[in-house]
Amino acid sequence: MIYTVTLNPAVDKILFLDQFQRSKTNRLTRTLETIGGKGTHIFINLKLLGVQSTALGIVLGENGKKIVNMLGGFGENVRFLYYDMPGKESRTNYEIVESSGHTCTMVTERGPNLPRKLTDDLLNQIREVIKSGDMLVLTGDASNVEDTDIYSTLTLVANALGAKVFLDASGQYLKQGLNSSPFLIKPNFEELCFIAGRELTTESDIIAALQNLDGYNIPMIAMTWSGNGSIIKNGRDFYRVHPIKVETVNEGGCGDAFLSAIIAGVEKNWSIIETLKVAASVAAAAAEGESTVGFDPTRLEDLKKQATVVKIR
Ligand code: TA6
């Protein structure tokens, strides 16, 4: 079984307008409310790819109930831990989508601080459910958890139980997560520069920075590069995944879509080339959609024909 974990889920409010103007009154053309948080997106995208998973995480208050209700619409395997604590509500994130220039800007709330008991409950739930051969997907912001080692702790527990861990985090949560040797990390370009501790300017720079992570024994590294596609390290091999040009409506969530396809490929034992072609296609289909989550599966066949994956080393 694949388990997705969302420590800081959200309700996403997507705000559409023509062009955002600072210090002016901006009139929205429409709004859209959907589920937010990277783990929840992986759960939904996997469903669209025909892959079963179970959604784990922590929700609080009325917003928490709303998140679980929305998730329930995408599958029965929703096993979030719900808490009703005075003054604590799962967060709301805002995404400004400008039709001119097709830019999208995320404005995320911090989310409620999670007392240690709550993350211990989740840790115990993970200890109970994970079996050898399972996969654990740890993604998204965890700044609502004081312990920046949280992802490292969860990874060590899952590794010891014989599971594969997929980690998509930022800052200290990512840096400390390296030490626990997850199966895959998905830093974007900025996050790889952060880990490398320097500005990376060329493709060779990026490959050298990825090679410098060999000491952490992470079998697979997927560096996403927003509109430039991505560079993948799989064992000792390197692949360049070129972006598929599409009519972009909302880029928010494309990284989650890309990772969902890689997880599906590992689960279904697709070849690396097939996996990366599907990943590029799912990310492109997600960009064509107006939401931060999901994509139109009927687009994949056509998009896959346009996918270019090159083994570069
Ligand atoms: O990737 C899209 C998205 O998951 C949005 O749904 C939004 O909620 C945000 O990113 C959450 O990301 P964060 O890193 O704050 O967990």
Side-chain angles (χ1 to χ4, degrees):
M1 171 55 79
I2 301 170
Y3 294 91
T4 65
V5 173
T6 315
L7 287 166
N8 203 358
V11 170
D12 275 356
K13 289 208 192 281
I14 307 172
L15 315 173
F16 296 89
L17 44 73
D18 178 40
Q19 187 163 32
F20 181 74
Q21 298 182 59
R22 283 169 180 269
S23 330
K24 293 257 180 5
T25 300
N26 289 265
R27 303 216 179 274
L28 298 175
T29 51
R30 59 198 165 88
T31 63
L32 181 67
E33 189 172 270
T34 186
I35 186 142
K38 296 183 175 358
T40 63
H41 289 187
I42 304 280
F43 170 74
I44 293 166
N45 291 331
L46 283 173
K47 179 93 182 174
L48 293 169
L49 286 165
V51 177
Q52 275 296 342
S53 68
T54 297
L56 307 178
I58 296 172
V59 285
L60 298 106
E62 288 313 308
N63 239 17
K65 285 185 189 152
K66 188 189 264 188
I67 290 168
V68 168
N69 290 341
M70 286 199 277
L71 261 181
F74 291 93
E76 57 284 346
N77 295 342
V78 177
R79 297 183 57 189
F80 269 66
L81 303 176
Y82 174 79
Y83 301 88
D84 189 0
M85 304 172 88
K88 285 188 181 284
E89 279 284 330
S90 292
R91 66 180 171 157
T92 298
N93 288 341
Y94 302 86
E95 188 196 32
I96 300 167
V97 176
E98 299 173 71
S99 49
S100 64
H102 303 305
T103 56
C104 64
T105 309
M106 288 303 300
V107 182
T108 63
E109 286 184 348
R110 197 176 173 306
N113 257 350
L114 299 182
R116 184 65 187 244
K117 174 186 178 315
L118 278 57
T119 48
D120 285 350
D121 289 351
L122 180 70
L123 185 57
N124 293 333
Q125 183 189 32
I126 287 171
R127 280 203 178 98
E128 272 161 36
V129 296
I130 293 276
K131 304 282 175 288
S132 180
D134 283 347
M135 298 186 196
L136 184 69
V137 186
L138 304 173
T139 59
D141 176 61
S143 59
N144 59 336
V145 179
E146 260 130 48
D147 172 8
T148 55
D149 245 346
I150 184 76
Y151 280 146
S152 201
T153 306
L154 293 173
T155 303
L156 290 171
V157 165
N159 283 353
L161 292 165
K164 279 192 174 81
V165 175
F166 296 75
L167 175 63
D168 178 9
S170 298
Q172 281 308 325
Y173 296 85
L174 170 60
K175 217 169 194 174
Q176 279 159 241
L178 299 176
N179 303 314
S180 55
S181 302
F183 172 78
L184 173 146
I185 60 170
K186 187 191 83 59
N188 59 28
F189 175 72
E190 291 74 24
E191 287 154 355
L192 185 63
C193 293
F194 170 76
I195 295 172
R198 62 189 173 88
E199 194 54 27
L200 306 170
T201 49
T202 64
E203 193 174 279
S204 309
D205 264 1
I206 291 169
I207 290 172
L210 293 172
Q211 280 170 326
N212 283 345
L213 299 177
D214 277 350
Y216 292 108
N217 299 320
I218 301 170
M220 199 170 179
I221 305 177
M223 189 215 74
T224 50
W225 209 356
S226 61
N228 304 314
S230 59
I231 295 182
I232 311 294
K233 180 178 185 297
N234 184 41
R236 310 202 73 69
D237 301 332
F238 287 84
Y239 299 86
R240 183 81 175 79
V241 182
H242 294 276
I244 301 173
K245 292 272 171 280
V246 292
E247 194 58 38
T248 297
V249 176
N250 184 350
E251 278 183 343
C254 289
D256 308 333
F258 188 85
L259 178 56
S260 306
I262 291 182
I263 295 165
V266 174
E267 167 77 358
K268 296 187 175 220
N269 286 318
W270 295 336
S271 72
I272 184 70
I273 297 288
E274 173 70 9
T275 298
L276 297 177
K277 282 190 172 179
V278 174
S281 309
V282 172
E288 291 177 327
E290 62 177 9
S291 180
T292 51
V293 61
F295 57 91
D296 174 358
T298 65
R299 291 285 294 130
L300 296 186
E301 200 161 326
D302 176 44
L303 290 168
K304 231 176 82 184
K305 293 184 193 120
Q306 304 165 49
T308 307
V309 176
V310 184
K311 185 165 183 292
I312 50 179
R313 297 251 179 123

